Amino acid sequence: MAFANGKGLAIRMKWMVAAGLLVTTVGALAQDRKFDPKHEFSGFVEYSNDSSHMLIGQEENRKLLQVGVGYERRLKGNSIAAWRWEIDVQPLILLRNPLLTTDETVVYTGPPVTIYTGYPPGTYHFVVLANKDCETGSGTGQYYGTTSTGTTVPVETYTYSSVCTHPWTYGGGISPLGQTVNFFPKRRLQPMFMGNAGFVAFDKVTPSNNATMFNFSFEVGVGFQYFTRPGRAVTVDYRYHHISNAYRGQQNPGVDSGLLKVTYSFGR
């Protein structure tokens, strides 16, 4: 009987040791992943103070602000790198364009001509999204025509007044094709490489008069993610960002921006 009790005690001890090892192993794995959560939810702000012809965009002197939320899921990972899928939703996108508003009055002064280069007499109102920038100003000038004898003469006088403003155009978008790689995911400070693509819908045609309201976007960038504690992190990165309509409009000038993005995320 004592032998049986001793054997039962030995079996129970083995199970207790095995359970302890299992708990220790799971704890160690969790500890290894404390700075590499499976799921991450985030809020972010992105801003560019200017646009230029960085790669393919043509429109300059644009400011861009984006505010949104995001979700990431780790697909694969080891001690060297973690690969994640990301989706960003931007309910607030503001694009600041240079806008030139001009009022022009044309007066016909003669003589009669067969061909002339101006507008018919009257008052005109022009609103143009500038390619680079615009200037407020006023002045006068002349339009010319050609007589029946082939002589070029002034036939119209015009006066104009132009006002340059920089209004914000509102939009919203979603970028569901994000790919992010975190290097050294066991560390608090992790270098990152990322890219994303999606679309943006504005409430007005932008960034030129003959473009479209609906545009596509893509971006690539590098940055750093710092975990203040397990499951909580701040990310700062810099991205090349492009918006264009993929030739769906009469014009496809595009906007290239250098975006600074700040993100706060929490994961598990």
Side-chain angles (χ1 to χ4, degrees), residues 37-59:
K38 180 73 173 179
H39 306 276
E40 254 188 296
F41 302 88
S42 63
F44 60 83
V45 176
E46 300 174 283
Y47 180 70
S48 171
N49 195 52
D50 196 9
S51 66
S52 61
H53 180 47
M54 299 172 67
L55 288 179
I56 54 179
Q58 302 295 325
E59 301 296 88

Side-chain angles (χ1 to χ4, degrees), residues 88-128:
D88 286 342
V89 179
Q90 301 106 341
L92 176 62
I93 298 177
L94 296 174
L95 181 64
R96 186 173 182 258
N97 298 294
L99 181 71
L100 186 66
T101 303
T102 303
D103 290 302
E104 181 177 318
T105 300
V106 180
V107 178
Y108 189 85
T109 57
V113 292
T114 56
I115 301 174
Y116 72 97
T117 59
Y119 296 96
T123 300
Y124 298 90
H125 182 73
F126 304 98
V127 179
V128 179

Side-chain angles (χ1 to χ4, degrees), residues 4 25 34 41 57 69 79 88 118 125 150 155 158 160 189 199 208 216 219 231 239 252 260:
T25 302
K34 67 180 182 179
F41 302 88
V69 294
S79 61
D88 286 342
H125 182 73
V155 294
Y158 67 86
Y160 73 92
L189 183 63
F199 61 85
S208 70
F216 298 94
E219 59 187 3
R239 305 181 177 211
N252 183 36
L260 179 65

